[in-house]
Amino acid sequence: MALELWETLKEAITAYTGLSPATFFTVVAVGLAAYYVISGFFGGTDHHHVPRQHEEQMQPLPPPVQLGEVTEEELQQYDGTDSKKPLLMAIKGQIYDVSQS
């Protein structure tokens, strides 16, 4: 079964591309290698794995700041434009001081 499939594949490669199977797979391998190298030059760093040591060194968020009921307009005053006020961020109803981050 597998041998028949391989023979059919070889015939199809030769019929559709005009190349021998060895040449076809060499061209595909060189193309993939070139793509990998070129995408490495232009790709972002999003694909790199963060080492576990770096994850352990990261400190957790500080505890929520207790300001009582704060409206959105009042929270906007703590956006970091005034260096005398802390930089606050609200996440799911909790307000965090992220000035040091």
Side-chain angles (χ1 to χ4, degrees):
M1 170 85 174
L3 189 57
E4 294 172 7
L5 182 61
W6 174 245
E7 292 299 323
T8 305
L9 181 63
K10 286 192 328 185
E11 291 173 10
I13 289 171
T14 304
Y16 287 113
T17 65
L19 302 172
S20 69
T23 304
F24 173 77
F25 288 117
T26 301
V27 168
V28 169
V30 168
L32 288 174
Y35 171 77
Y36 179 75
V37 169
I38 292 171
S39 67
F41 288 131
F42 298 108
T45 58
D46 297 335
H47 302 291
H48 297 296
H49 177 66
V50 176
R52 188 171 294 271
Q53 292 174 343
H54 182 62
E55 290 176 359
E56 292 172 358
Q57 292 175 355
M58 293 175 55
Q59 297 179 2
L61 287 173
V65 176
Q66 299 298 323
L67 294 178
E69 293 291 322
V70 178
T71 66
E72 186 176 342
E73 292 77 21
E74 292 173 332
L75 184 62
Q76 287 177 352
Q77 296 173 6
Y78 297 92
D79 63 355
T81 55
D82 185 359
S83 60
K84 296 176 185 174
K85 294 182 180 180
L87 177 60
L88 302 180
M89 177 182 286
I91 302 174
K92 292 187 176 182
Q94 295 291 319
I95 299 173
Y96 295 92
D97 183 355
V98 293
S99 303
Q100 297 174 357
S101 301

